[in-house]
Amino acid sequence: HSVAVCALMVSLARTLGHTEAACREAGLAGLLHDLGKAAMPLDILNKPGKLTDEEFAVIKTHPVHSQNILKSVAAFADMADIAAHHHERLDGKGYPNGLSGDQICMDTRIISTADVFDALTADRPYRAAMPVAKAFAILDEDAGKSHDPLCIEALKRAIARAEVLKAA
């Protein structure tokens, strides 16, 4: 998952006009964003069914663990907040801090979109992967609420470009 989020982050950052150095840093943030899941119990992470409220409360702590780990390493400290906020939403209904709107930087908006897209289009213990079109329908439905519409459109362009390259 983290390797896919890394690749999506780089592609989205490029599509949105980031410098190559900023694209590399965004990719590294994508690669490291879920480090905090190492602190999660495996029976919760690998649970095949729906999580209980208590289990979900435990899972919701993983971004804070990621942030703490990254802040403790000087080379990664600058990306700690991006990793910590990858479940924040534009409407303020995300976690762990309930950030909203302008409180969420562009790199966090990018990682949030990349993370959800990969989660939807990959097999999970509790469900099979969704087709790309269905994943985009879900993202489009949440555009402006959960995810930045600019990031969703950039993701569509990046995926289309990748599909063209695969066909060549």
Side-chain angles (χ1 to χ4, degrees), residues 40-73:
M40 302 295 101
L42 287 177
D43 60 323
I44 294 176
L45 279 179
N46 297 324
K47 185 175 180 178
K50 184 174 168 55
L51 297 177
T52 66
D53 290 343
E54 295 80 19
E55 291 167 334
F56 188 56
V58 171
I59 288 293
K60 286 171 59 173
T61 67
H62 84 272
V64 175
H65 290 290
S66 295
Q67 182 180 40
N68 292 337
I69 293 166
L70 292 172
K71 278 191 175 179
S72 72
V73 180

Side-chain angles (χ1 to χ4, degrees), residues 4-5 18 25 29 35 37 41 45 49 55 67 69 72-73 76 86 103 114 116 127-128 142 145 149 151:
V5 172
H18 284 43
E25 187 163 314
L35 275 177
K37 284 191 175 177
L45 279 179
E55 291 167 334
Q67 182 180 40
I69 293 166
S72 72
V73 180
F76 302 142
H86 72 275
Q103 294 175 306
V116 167
R127 64 153 179 76
D142 287 338
K145 293 180 275 185
C151 294

Side-chain angles (χ1 to χ4, degrees), residues 81-82 85 99 101-111:
D81 289 341
I82 295 165
H85 300 147
L99 301 178
D102 291 339
Q103 294 175 306
I104 303 171
C105 74
M106 182 52 76
D107 282 346
T108 298
R109 293 170 188 229
I110 291 170
I111 199 170

